[in-house]
Structure formats: structure tokens, C-alpha cells
Amino acid sequence: MKGNKTIGIMVSLAMATGLLAACSNKPSSEGDNKQGTKVEEVANLNKMGLPIVNQPISLTFFTGKSPTNGSNFEETLIWKEYAKMTNMNIKFDLIPFDALVEKRNLVLAGGDYPDVFYTAKLTPADLTRYGSQGVFVKLNDLIDKYAPNFKQLMDKYPNLKKGLTMPDGNIYSLPSFYDPSFLSLLIGSPMWINNEWLDKLKMSEPKTTEEFYQYLKAVKNTDLNGNGKSDEIPYSGVGTDSLLDQLKGAWGLGTRGLGHKYVDIDPATNQLRFIKTDLKYKELLQYVNKLYADGLVDKEIFTIKSSALYAKGQQNTLGTTIVPNPATVMGQKNFIGLGALKGPGGEHLYANIKVPMVHVGAFAITNKNKYPEASIRWMDHFYSDEGAKFYFMGQKDVTYKETPDGNMEYVSDITKNPQGLTQDQASAKYFTWLGGGYPGFVKEKYFKGSESLPAAIAASKKAEPDAVKEIWNNFNFTEAEIEVMSSVGKDITDYITESEAKFINGTMPFSEWDKYTATVKKMGQDEYMKIYKAAYDRYNTK
């Protein structure tokens, strides 16, 4: 808002009553603070403690919804209780995740947007563009004054602030942030191998890419599920991206984690490296092509959906797969997670680690919001231990019980629902974290998803010695750079994605590798890397 003044905040308590009466019924730029909050609204705010406001207020949130969530957030236990605790009534306008991008773009472009975008997966490009236009409120000062929990996290994890700060120096959003020490959650979906079949084959757990290849061959040639059919599938997953992500560390690629799939740091030169045209990447693709050509990869790998993959797993046909956890999505408890495989050159990096700041734009306040101070206080609670515990676990003796050793477990109504509901289905009337995307702080102590189960924790412990040591958060590009990355950059990435599939399935022979790399260069690889270098330099100076 242009011409805003801060005089309302500076007025003494002795004068407050008269001033509030004078401006209570009409908007006045002289009675607004820098974020557009009227004097009476600031007076209604408690800077610390609960309730957040003395008199109830109402806000509307544009909210992404996963298929596992319920259809009425206001009626879930946590939001009903939090409304009582805060005096803030939130209307969650739910948008299914599969329609989220289209709907989000429409409301932003059309100007019919709400008070807050929540679980809306705003991109850095969205934040840069609409932040510079004033649609999203600058949070720098609000964080300093009203978000002590999040400010403490930024102080503890400097990369968090780097990833949130847009090129203009402003922060426009709060993220979904995973505890960097919660490695199994950062891994998310390990490479799972059928331990029962390993025993039947009298094979040890693979430690190298060659041993992994030999295991897959043995699965293909043996009736391990004992049904008299040759229906064993050595490896299956949804697409080949996850397989490449799991294997690339065996060729020393992906040295800064999964947040940057095209660029990392070359340990030999300590310089930025374009991964997808590197000779080591060619070797990785040749290895996966060999798996495909030998029939060790599911023939439906390029088209299969998650539901179909899970069905195959339930039929006990998989030797290896990449999913969050076979026990939870396939009902198979006979799988163990693999650590880093050693490649032909002796490298054994575990590169399949996500950025702790998973969603940069998980929470953003718009310029239509009359209560930005209260809104950021509302969100800041969930970056505290107390708030995280409440968000994920709910209320003691209602949704969870404490065990004698001090741990927390969901009540049997959730874990062993008498109506036969799955744990996710039973949880949906209490919680809204199912399906991800939410803003907040995720810690192992309170998070009870599949990544916290013993098998997932065991897999992360195997990966830990070889895990990437420095994880880059996202780099944020200027509007001019975004234009290039969304045109030249998109053309490059689309071409690479298409070419990768052809190299793997054999329709593009590796004799055309030089032609492929020359095409990428001609399409603008140098310009792409120049922009990446500028963003990298900004990232390192924040």
C-alpha cells in the first residue's frame, strides 16, 4: 500500500482509544502500518503467547489438498483446536494437488487471490514475480518481530535463509522444512531389495554396481516366488528418474543432492559441472541401458503409475524397487534398503538426498491480508517443538499416548481402526499433514510416516557414511534469468529427458553421444551455465 505510515503503532496507550474510535469505520492510509494493518488490528494482536488475537478474526487460505486428506480441514481436530487456541478462524479453500498449478496461476493472474497461500507449492519464480509486484508481503521484518521460532531455525541453518531469499533480498514465503539430521526423510524413497530372495539365492547384499547387476540377473532366471511362472521382475519403479538418482553417486555425480539434477560441483576441479553431458553420465546411462537390454528392468518402466507398481509389489513379483516403503504401500515386509553402491571407478557417493527445504513457497501472505502480523504468528507456532508435536501428533490421550520410555504412539483408533480404515484414512479426521506439501518443521521425534519406520531408519544408517556432505538449497533467479531458464532452459531439459529415455531403451545408440552433447551446447548450455553461476554466486554471498 502506497503512502502507508506507522503512526498508529507509535501512538501512546493514553491516546489509543480516541484514535481507534476515529478510524474504526473507514480505511485511512494514515492509520495503516507498513503491511496495511489498521491501528485497531495491531492493538488486537498479542505479540507473544496465546491467543494470538484478543478478538476473533477470520482469514481465507488457498490450500493444496492431497488425495489422502479429508475434504473439510476446518473440522479436523488440529484446526478446530488451533482456532480455539488462537482466536483465528481459518477457511481453507481446498484445491486438489493435480489441479493446483493451474488454479494457482489463474487466481494470481486474475487478482482474485486470498489472504494466504498455504500448502500451495509456490515456486521461486512465482515468489520473485509476484513478490516484486507487491502481491506477496515481504516477510523480513515480520520474521524478525513476530516469528521467533522460524528466526531461530534460520540462525541455526544458514542455508535456510539462503534458499528463501529472492534476488531482490526479500523473503516472501515460509517453507516446508525437514530436519537436516532426519536422513531417512531426506532420502524419502531408498532402493529396496527383496531380502527373502537374497537368502534363497544365497547371495549377499549387493555392495557394488556389478553385484547389483548379478543379483538382478539371478532374479530374472529363478522362480523365487514359487508360483511356477516366470513373472519375477528384477527391478521396477515409476519411470527411470529415481533409478538414475539412486545410481549416479556410483559414478561420483550429484555431489550437492537432489535439488540440482543438472548441475553440481566437480570434485576434481571444484567448479560447477553440467551433469547431463559429462562422460561419467554417459557411463551411467550405458549401465542402465545394459539392465534394460538384458530384461532386468520392468518393460512398463516408462508408463507405469504408482498404483500399478504397488499392485505388482503386492503380488510378490519384485526383486528391487524404489518406493517410500514396501511395507506400507505394498504390504511387503521382506525388503531391506541398500546403501551406496560402489561404481566401476571406485566411487560410492550416496547422492539420493533431498533438499531439507522441500517446498520454498509453502506459506505466503498476500497484500489482501489485513492481519499479516497475526498470520505469521499463526504459522510460526508450527516451527517450534510444541507446534510440530501438535501438528503431527495432536492431543495426548485423544490421538496419541506416551509410552513408558517417553516416546509417542498414535492411539489404536488410528493404528488399528475398528471400522477397518487404513492408518491414513483414520488419521484424516484428525490431521492434514498426509500427502505432504505443508509448511512447518518436520522432526523424527514427531513424524510418524513411513520414513520413520525401523526399516527406513536402518536404510538411512547404511547410507549415512557415504551421504552427500553439502546439500544445496534451491537457487533463486532474477526475472530476466527466469525468462531464459523457462525458454532456453526448458528446451534443454526437455531434449535431455527425451534423449535419456532413448539411450536407455536403445532407440538412440551411444554412437550418437557426441551429437547429443553438441546439440545441448548449441541449444544454449553455456548461457544456462552462466545464469547458474550468477545464481550460485548470489547464493554464496547471502
Side-chain angles (χ1 to χ4, degrees):
M1 177 179 287
K2 294 182 180 179
N4 289 345
K5 306 292 184 182
T6 58
I7 63 169
I9 300 175
M10 305 303 293
V11 172
S12 68
L13 290 175
M15 297 175 61
T17 304
L19 178 57
L20 295 181
C23 66
S24 60
N25 294 316
K26 65 177 183 177
S28 169
S29 61
E30 292 299 315
D32 291 352
N33 72 8
K34 288 184 180 179
Q35 300 296 347
T37 304
K38 298 184 183 68
V39 176
E40 62 268 26
E41 292 155 0
V42 174
N44 190 36
L45 176 74
N46 294 314
K47 191 171 181 180
M48 297 176 64
L50 294 173
I52 292 174
V53 288
N54 295 314
Q55 296 300 316
I57 62 174
S58 298
L59 294 166
T60 301
F61 285 16
F62 176 105
T63 307
K65 175 191 175 300
S66 82
T68 47
N69 283 137
S71 58
N72 190 342
F73 277 22
E74 293 88 344
E75 292 304 311
T76 57
L77 177 136
I78 60 160
W79 296 132
K80 284 175 73 173
E81 290 302 313
Y82 198 49
K84 296 175 189 175
M85 293 159 61
T86 60
N87 260 350
M88 295 177 63
N89 301 306
I90 309 303
K91 181 179 183 294
F92 296 93
D93 283 345
L94 301 183
I95 312 297
F97 277 161
D98 58 6
L100 186 65
V101 174
E102 180 182 5
K103 181 67 173 177
R104 189 186 67 214
N105 290 344
L106 283 173
V107 299
L108 280 169
D112 186 23
Y113 47 82
D115 299 302
V116 168
F117 282 85
Y118 179 87
T119 314
K121 300 183 180 180
L122 293 160
T123 68
D126 293 329
L127 297 167
T128 296
R129 178 177 298 113
Y130 293 104
S132 66
Q133 294 175 13
V135 171
F136 297 131
V137 170
K138 299 173 185 177
L139 302 183
N140 307 51
D141 291 342
L142 289 171
I143 290 170
D144 284 341
K145 295 177 182 177
Y146 300 104
N149 299 307
F150 189 71
K151 190 173 187 300
Q152 186 176 40
L153 282 179
M154 286 202 303
D155 291 341
K156 185 175 181 179
Y157 303 107
N159 278 353
L160 182 56
K161 186 174 183 179
K162 287 182 179 183
L164 282 175
T165 304
M166 296 299 117
D168 64 1
N170 291 311
I171 294 173
Y172 296 104
S173 65
L174 299 181
S176 175
F177 184 59
Y178 293 173
D179 184 344
S181 66
F182 192 177
L183 184 57
S184 66
L185 188 60
L186 296 182
I187 289 172
S189 297
M191 176 94 80
W192 297 97
I193 191 165
N194 194 319
N195 196 39
E196 184 180 290
W197 290 6
L198 276 174
D199 290 343
K200 287 184 177 181
L201 292 167
K202 295 181 169 54
M203 298 180 79
S204 300
E205 181 181 328
K207 301 293 185 185
T208 68
T209 52
E210 177 58 27
E211 289 174 1
F212 182 63
Y213 171 76
Q214 294 301 330
Y215 164 75
L216 296 179
K217 276 185 65 177
V219 169
K220 184 177 188 296
N221 298 324
T222 313
D223 181 20
L224 290 163
N225 59 18
N227 64 0
K229 302 177 184 177
S230 182
D231 58 353
E232 286 77 10
I233 302 170
Y235 171 79
S236 188
V238 177
T240 56
D241 276 359
S242 56
L243 181 60
L244 293 170
D245 286 338
Q246 290 283 347
L247 292 173
K248 64 187 177 187
W251 278 266
L253 300 168
T255 60
R256 294 301 183 268
L258 289 179
H260 299 260
K261 293 195 177 187
Y262 287 79
V263 179
D264 69 352
I265 292 289
D266 186 344
T269 64
N270 204 34
Q271 300 297 314
L272 293 179
R273 167 176 59 183
F274 191 78
I275 295 171
K276 302 289 188 171
T277 54
D278 193 271
L279 283 175
K280 290 184 177 182
Y281 198 71
K282 176 186 178 182
E283 293 174 12
L284 168 60
L285 290 176
Q286 287 174 319
Y287 176 82
V288 178
N289 166 256
K290 180 182 178 182
L291 302 184
Y292 189 89
D294 290 355
L296 308 182
V297 173
D298 191 340
K299 61 184 179 182
E300 297 178 340
I301 191 74
F302 294 106
T303 57
I304 194 170
K305 304 297 184 184
S306 294
S307 57
L309 173 64
Y310 298 164
K312 289 185 179 187
Q314 289 166 359
Q315 295 164 10
N316 194 27
T317 61
L318 303 183
T320 315
T321 190
I322 298 172
V323 295
N325 196 315
T328 58
V329 299
M330 299 174 176
Q332 299 289 334
K333 298 182 179 180
N334 51 322
F335 282 78
I336 58 173
L338 292 180
L341 295 175
K342 184 180 289 187
E347 292 154 311
H348 48 98
L349 177 71
Y350 197 93
N352 185 64
I353 301 177
K354 290 182 284 191
V355 173
M357 189 169 64
V358 185
H359 298 290
V360 177
F363 180 92
I365 300 170
T366 76
N367 59 2
K368 293 189 178 182
N369 190 318
K370 297 178 180 179
Y371 315 100
E373 292 90 349
S375 297
I376 200 162
R377 279 212 61 211
W378 183 97
M379 187 62 243
D380 183 61
H381 180 62
F382 297 103
Y383 293 100
S384 69
D385 261 21
E386 181 185 353
K389 178 180 176 181
F390 175 65
Y391 184 72
F392 292 110
M393 298 303 301
Q395 292 181 313
K396 184 179 178 181
D397 297 328
V398 178
T399 52
Y400 76 91
K401 292 184 179 294
E402 288 187 356
T403 61
D405 59 3
N407 289 323
M408 292 171 289
E409 294 178 351
Y410 287 133
V411 296
S412 58
D413 184 63
I414 293 175
T415 58
K416 299 176 182 177
N417 185 264
Q419 282 76 47
L421 300 177
T422 66
Q423 182 163 320
D424 280 0
Q425 290 169 336
S427 297
K429 71 175 182 178
Y430 303 112
F431 309 109
T432 60
W433 58 262
L434 300 107
Y438 47 80
F441 185 36
V442 187
K443 299 183 70 172
E444 183 178 347
K445 184 177 180 180
Y446 308 123
F447 181 74
K448 301 299 178 183
S450 61
E451 295 89 345
S452 65
L453 295 176
I457 298 297
S460 70
K461 290 189 182 302
K462 288 181 192 175
E464 189 171 7
D466 301 303
V468 170
K469 296 300 184 285
E470 182 184 348
I471 302 291
W472 279 341
N473 276 304
N474 60 288
F475 294 172
N476 297 316
F477 301 102
T478 66
E479 290 196 66
E481 291 167 347
I482 288 169
E483 290 300 319
V484 177
M485 297 303 265
S486 61
S487 54
V488 172
K490 186 178 186 304
D491 289 344
I492 289 174
T493 56
D494 286 349
Y495 173 71
I496 288 173
T497 300
E498 179 184 341
S499 299
E500 280 178 346
K502 291 179 178 179
F503 279 128
I504 290 170
N505 67 24
T507 56
M508 182 184 290
F510 283 93
S511 59
E512 293 191 23
W513 178 261
D514 290 345
K515 179 181 176 183
Y516 155 77
T517 59
T519 301
V520 174
K521 190 170 183 64
K522 185 178 179 181
M523 293 176 76
Q525 180 182 329
D526 289 344
E527 186 177 15
Y528 182 98
M529 289 301 289
K530 182 179 178 181
I531 288 174
Y532 229 91
K533 176 66 164 57
Y536 172 66
D537 289 342
R538 285 195 302 270
Y539 179 83
N540 281 331
T541 56
K542 289 173 184 173

